[in-house]
Amino acid sequence: SIPQELGRLASLKELSLNNNQLSGSIPKELGQLASLKVLWLRNNQLSGSIPQELGQLASLKELKLNDNQLSGSIPKELGQLASLQILQLEENQLSGSIPQELGRLASLKELSLNNNQLSGS
């Protein structure tokens, strides 16, 4: 699993844990990484919901959580990530509707939500 203690790394700019066999949930403590620009956790076995605390990562440019087993809805708090350019959430088990708050992401260049269980009209 991802140690919650990583949330204490105040100067961390990039956290890349792609292509491992990490399981468990994403620690909400990662939302305390104020300097973080890149959060890549793709291609693991992470489960549970996406922590709403990730919406506090004001410097974040890339969020890649694809190819996991994440479930629940997409947190509307991700719409607060004003610097976000890439949001990849595909190949999970996310459900519910796409939050309208994602429409506030003026810097967004790539949005990938395919192969989930999203619904709505």
Side-chain angles (χ1 to χ4, degrees):
S1 61
I2 300 171
Q4 65 184 37
E5 289 80 8
L6 293 182
R8 298 184 192 145
L9 302 174
S11 300
L12 195 67
K13 294 194 181 327
E14 180 174 325
L15 179 57
S16 178
L17 298 172
N18 298 335
N19 305 316
N20 284 292
Q21 296 176 21
L22 295 168
S23 59
S25 57
I26 299 171
K28 66 178 195 256
E29 289 80 6
L30 296 186
Q32 300 168 13
L33 297 171
S35 300
L36 200 66
K37 294 183 182 304
V38 172
L39 179 56
W40 290 353
L41 305 177
R42 49 193 186 97
N43 197 24
N44 280 290
Q45 296 162 25
L46 297 170
S47 58
S49 57
I50 299 170
Q52 64 185 32
E53 289 82 0
L54 296 186
Q56 300 167 12
L57 297 172
S59 301
L60 199 66
K61 292 182 181 295
E62 298 186 15
L63 179 58
K64 298 185 180 184
L65 305 178
N66 48 300
D67 294 282
N68 280 291
Q69 297 161 25
L70 298 170
S71 58
S73 57
I74 299 169
K76 66 180 193 287
E77 289 81 4
L78 296 185
Q80 300 167 11
L81 299 173
S83 300
L84 198 66
Q85 296 177 2
I86 297 175
L87 178 57
Q88 293 181 346
L89 303 178
E90 73 267 21
E91 300 285 348
N92 278 292
Q93 297 163 23
L94 298 170
S95 58
S97 58
I98 299 169
Q100 62 185 26
E101 288 82 0
L102 295 187
R104 298 184 193 146
L105 298 174
S107 300
L108 200 64
K109 294 179 163 71
E110 180 181 335
L111 175 61
S112 300
L113 303 175
N114 43 298
N115 293 325
N116 278 290
Q117 297 167 20
L118 299 170
S119 59
S121 55

